[in-house]
Amino acid sequence: MSTSPDPKDISVVIPILNCRHLLEPVIGKLREIVALAGEVIVVDSDSEDGTVELLRESLDPVNVRFLTHPRGLYASWNYGIAQATKEWIHIATAGDVASKEDLGYLLGVAGRTGADVVTAPPMFVNEDGSIRQDPRWPILGLLQMHEGEEVIELAAGDLVAFALCHCWPSRRHKSWLGSSASNLYRTATLQALPFPTDVGPRGDVLWGLRNANRVRAAFCRRRCGRFVVHSKPGGANLEDKEECYEIAWNEAIEWLWNERGMRSGGPEFAGFLDLLQKERSVVEETTRELRKKTEQWRRIKQELKDCRRELGGYKAYVGAMRARIPRIFRKYLFPPVDIQGGIEKKLE
């Protein structure tokens, strides 16, 4: 394993779809990494806003290939990854890009650690380029947990536990991968383990959950790249794909339990056990509340049933009384009544 990888060992994959307005502000950085990398693979999904023309005019064509693939976020990623020939891959999504210094740093960490994925927190920006406050990302929490360490390496049970802490089914799913714009991946790893293409806009979340026990990750404290937080994220509703995440979560926790059981591990595993206990308490409390509500509904249902029985008896009584009165007086003494709706309707 080389301790000083060559930047020419990097393949940069740029998936695009009508994102000219996002690429224009970062075209200078794209030029830098095109000059640095060994190859650049642009995967276009039939853009109609001049995105392809912008890149053709702005990037050196010597090591840039333009490919076309039908629409589909992670399907386009996988297509570009499959064409890559270098040892490492950087995925520069629309407006999300790292500088050449950032890539050089990530590459150095990859060489020292032998990781399959090297990830770092990006600078968060809005679509207009203004700085955005940090969200609650898993990587930022991990860095707080390991204060003082510049690079944190996780694999096997510790990485699975860390992934599980942030992909809890009852919470919003979050990826330990962070943003691919600040990541470096081993090409052979992504080609062997492609991103899921059937779960909407968070295929990287599911990828991280499914493959946490198969890869080694290095988390860097240094900020690398920028991540654009879109005001209107596209893609399918995550709730429609919930079953896929629950299956992967159950498989991951089963693997972790078989591998580690209740034995002590790193702080990530201890944190997972603590979260497991807290979640159990929440489930027990929720169960108690549901039982109370169920009992309340049972009482209400019985009361309604009793009311219907009483109304039925009253209706029968009224019918019997009407039958005893001469026909000519009935409409004056007992006008028809809509018992169920509670609305009286007099005969004309």
Side-chain angles (χ1 to χ4, degrees), residues 254-285:
E254 182 179 359
W255 180 92
L256 180 65
W257 211 253
N258 292 335
E259 178 73 14
R260 193 67 64 87
M262 290 296 294
R263 297 193 303 277
S264 61
E268 295 76 26
F269 185 71
F272 170 68
L273 292 181
D274 183 56
L275 185 59
L276 189 66
Q277 184 60 38
K278 290 179 180 178
E279 192 72 11
R280 179 181 176 182
S281 300
V282 171
V283 170
E284 289 176 350
E285 180 62 28

Side-chain angles (χ1 to χ4, degrees), residues 39 57 109 113 125 150 233 306 319:
E39 67 178 355
E57 295 169 1
V109 173
T113 62
V125 300
E150 288 302 314
D306 293 341

Side-chain angles (χ1 to χ4, degrees), residues 49-298:
D49 68 340
T51 304
V52 176
E53 291 74 12
L54 171 68
L55 293 181
R56 286 189 183 277
E57 295 169 1
S58 306
L59 303 183
D60 186 348
V62 173
N63 62 342
V64 180
R65 282 186 284 161
F66 287 86
L67 307 176
T68 302
H69 189 273
R71 295 191 179 191
L73 179 61
Y74 292 101
S76 296
W77 285 29
N78 291 336
Y79 182 68
I81 291 165
Q83 316 302 316
T85 62
K86 305 303 178 182
E87 184 178 0
W88 300 96
I89 284 180
H90 171 66
I91 303 172
T93 51
D96 305 333
V97 64
S99 68
K100 64 178 182 180
E101 291 80 12
D102 293 337
L103 287 183
Y105 172 78
L106 296 173
L107 193 60
V109 173
R112 294 194 304 273
T113 62
D116 300 293
V117 181
V118 181
T119 182
M123 182 68 69
F124 298 92
V125 300
N126 296 307
E127 289 185 358
D128 61 3
S130 59
I131 302 299
R132 188 183 180 99
Q133 184 178 1
D134 286 346
R136 297 179 63 183
W137 270 28
I139 296 175
L140 299 176
L142 181 70
L143 294 174
Q144 290 180 350
M145 189 185 303
H146 292 263
E147 189 174 358
E149 297 182 48
E150 288 302 314
V151 177
I152 300 102
E153 297 180 54
L154 297 180
D158 288 328
L159 185 56
V160 173
F162 177 59
L164 285 169
C165 283
H166 299 282
C167 290
W168 209 277
S170 63
R171 307 181 179 196
R172 177 172 176 159
H173 300 282
K174 295 182 179 179
S175 175
W176 60 263
L177 291 171
S179 166
S180 289
S182 54
N183 294 355
L184 203 62
Y185 299 93
R186 192 179 295 277
T187 301
T189 300
L190 287 189
Q191 289 179 342
L193 304 170
F195 288 98
T197 59
D198 58 347
V199 290
R202 293 187 186 169
D204 51 347
V205 178
L206 187 55
W207 188 96
L209 189 57
R210 284 177 175 172
N211 300 305
N213 65 330
R214 299 181 176 92
V215 300
R216 173 177 291 277
F219 299 85
C220 307
R221 189 169 297 276
R222 165 176 164 163
R223 297 263 178 171
C224 293
R226 58 174 242 158
F227 177 74
V228 179
V229 181
H230 301 285
S231 56
K232 295 181 179 179
N237 188 340
L238 184 61
E239 294 179 358
D240 297 339
K241 312 295 182 180
E242 193 71 32
E243 184 179 357
C244 298
Y245 293 88
E246 291 184 0
I247 292 172
W249 196 91
N250 290 331
E251 290 176 349
I253 197 172
E254 182 179 359
W255 180 92
L256 180 65
W257 211 253
N258 292 335
E259 178 73 14
R260 193 67 64 87
M262 290 296 294
R263 297 193 303 277
S264 61
E268 295 76 26
F269 185 71
F272 170 68
L273 292 181
D274 183 56
L275 185 59
L276 189 66
Q277 184 60 38
K278 290 179 180 178
E279 192 72 11
R280 179 181 176 182
S281 300
V282 171
V283 170
E284 289 176 350
E285 180 62 28
T286 303
T287 301
R288 285 193 293 269
E289 291 296 324
L290 287 174
R291 283 174 179 167
K292 289 180 182 178
K293 291 181 179 179
T294 301
E295 186 59 33
Q296 290 174 356
W297 278 112
R298 282 202 191 102

Side-chain angles (χ1 to χ4, degrees), residues 12-24:
V12 177
V13 176
I14 307 177
I16 56 173
L17 171 60
N18 295 331
C19 54
R20 181 183 179 114
H21 65 292
L22 295 173
L23 290 177
E24 285 177 336

